[in-house]
Amino acid sequence: MAARTRKKRSTSASNRTPRGNPQKATVARGPVAPQKATLRDWIGAARLRTLPLAVTPVLIGTGAALLVDRELHWVLALACLVVAVALQIGVNYANDYSDGIRGTDDHRVGPARLTASRKAQPRTVLIVALAFFGIAAVAGLGIVIRTQHWWMLAVGLVCIVAAWFYTGGKRPYGYAGLGELFVFVFFGLVATVGTTFVQVGVVPQEAWLGAVGAGLLACAVLLANNLRDIDQDRVAGKRTLTVRIGKRATQVLFTVFLLVPFAIAGLLALLYPIAWLSLLALIPAAAAILIVWTYRAPRELVVALGVTSLTSVAYGALLLWAFAA
């Protein structure tokens, strides 16, 4: 009888589900090979949420050019747009490559990167980044040939070099807390003022004011991105401005960067009444500010980043309308 009981217990024990984590047991059998990057992965790595930042300065710069010459120089405007968008995508792929080989993206909160996830070879990501820099260079060369402003070749070269050394090279300035400064200069001042200059040959004060607004909004997007990654960047030794000044100061700075452009729009509205409509973009801006101040999980800041980017392009489009009216 006792033997039978022991046999039953033994049989029932063998039918039970084994204890422990079955996933760990599966992993122990051998490393899982990373999946190959799909088209969707490559599109995601281009970071479409950031592309409106490339469109905004072209919109504002073109609007400012219309204040000088009412004829729309659409070929030059389109070429400026190609340069800006190609540079933005090139920067995004270059960041994917540089941060990936450094190991900075190993514990990302946001969407996975191609290099860090090993879905694509680092060399392939680098080639794609260089290809987009090449597209920007070709479009820029076309602008120079059309306008005969040959000195702008040096400006274009500086833009590409700055794009690469944001996270590339031995001492990337993005790792030293200078990312916002360079973003303000190149994705604000240079992009906006350059768009106006190549179309009409002069730069009115409206272009400068709009450039400040565009640059601050681009900086706000970068702050939202770096606030999301603050813990990971601190561990990886990436000393972004957010890591240096901390969470609370970043939240304050983000709010300032988002609100100052609308103060500029109010100033412009004294001469161009339609510019008051740009205050409509305060609606998504307020939503982004609310998220940044109340978020509980870093992933929520991905939404703030996207909303801020859309605020930027809405701001640019409404200023274009105000200048063109």
Side-chain angles (χ1 to χ4, degrees):
M1 188 82 164
R4 245 183 240 169
T5 305
R6 281 196 299 270
K7 190 174 182 181
K8 278 186 181 179
R9 285 177 183 173
S10 176
T11 305
S12 61
S14 64
N15 291 333
R16 286 177 192 163
T17 304
R19 293 183 179 182
N21 189 341
Q23 292 182 346
K24 288 186 178 180
T26 303
V27 172
R29 293 172 193 166
V32 178
Q35 296 178 349
K36 188 176 181 181
T38 63
L39 177 60
R40 183 176 181 178
D41 292 326
W42 283 101
I43 293 175
R47 292 188 238 174
L48 302 185
R49 290 186 184 90
T50 65
L51 296 191
L53 301 178
V55 178
T56 300
V58 177
L59 293 175
I60 297 174
T62 299
L66 289 172
L67 295 175
V68 179
D69 185 355
R70 302 308 292 181
E71 180 184 356
L72 175 62
H73 300 274
W74 65 271
V75 174
L76 288 172
L78 182 60
C80 289
L81 182 62
V82 172
V83 171
V85 172
L87 275 177
Q88 180 69 66
I89 296 175
V91 167
N92 291 340
Y93 281 121
N95 292 350
D96 188 303
Y97 166 78
S98 298
D99 285 343
I101 62 174
R102 279 190 172 90
T104 308
D105 287 339
D106 287 349
H107 304 286
R108 274 179 58 81
V109 176
R113 302 280 183 87
L114 294 172
T115 307
S117 65
R118 297 190 304 245
K119 287 185 175 182
Q121 293 295 324
R123 178 182 173 84
T124 305
V125 178
L126 175 60
I127 290 173
V128 173
L130 295 177
F132 277 99
F133 287 149
I135 292 171
V138 170
L141 180 60
I143 292 173
V144 169
I145 294 173
R146 177 76 177 264
T147 62
Q148 294 295 297
H149 296 305
W150 294 98
W151 57 270
M152 293 191 72
L153 287 174
V155 176
L157 179 60
V158 171
C159 289
I160 293 175
V161 170
W164 170 254
F165 283 103
Y166 172 56
T167 55
K170 292 183 178 180
R171 295 181 179 177
Y173 61 84
Y175 280 60
L178 298 175
E180 285 77 9
L181 174 61
F182 278 79
V183 164
F184 178 77
V185 171
F186 288 100
F187 284 94
L189 303 183
V190 174
T192 307
V193 170
T195 297
T196 302
F197 181 78
V198 300
Q199 293 185 56
V200 294
V202 295
V203 183
Q205 62 183 0
E206 290 85 351
W208 287 105
L209 290 171
V212 172
L216 290 177
L217 289 169
C219 289
V221 170
L222 183 57
L223 281 179
N225 179 79
N226 290 341
L227 184 59
R228 180 197 66 196
D229 296 335
I230 184 172
D231 294 330
Q232 292 73 26
D233 288 344
R234 187 179 286 117
V235 171
K238 187 175 182 180
R239 302 284 293 171
T240 63
L241 179 62
T242 297
V243 170
R244 289 176 179 273
I245 66 177
K247 174 182 175 180
R248 186 66 67 203
T250 298
Q251 291 170 321
V252 172
L253 196 58
F254 177 85
T255 304
V256 172
F257 283 173
L258 263 186
L259 295 182
V260 169
F262 293 99
I264 294 174
L267 180 63
L268 290 170
L270 298 177
L271 295 175
Y272 309 98
I274 293 179
W276 286 116
L277 292 177
S278 65
L279 297 182
L280 291 173
L282 267 173
I283 298 173
I289 292 172
L290 183 63
I291 293 172
V292 165
W293 279 93
T294 62
Y295 78 97
R296 298 195 176 189
R299 191 172 295 276
E300 296 173 37
L301 292 170
V302 176
V303 178
L305 187 155
V307 172
T308 305
S309 192
L310 292 177
T311 299
S312 173
V313 75
Y315 177 85
L318 290 167
L319 281 189
L320 169 61
W321 183 15
F323 293 152

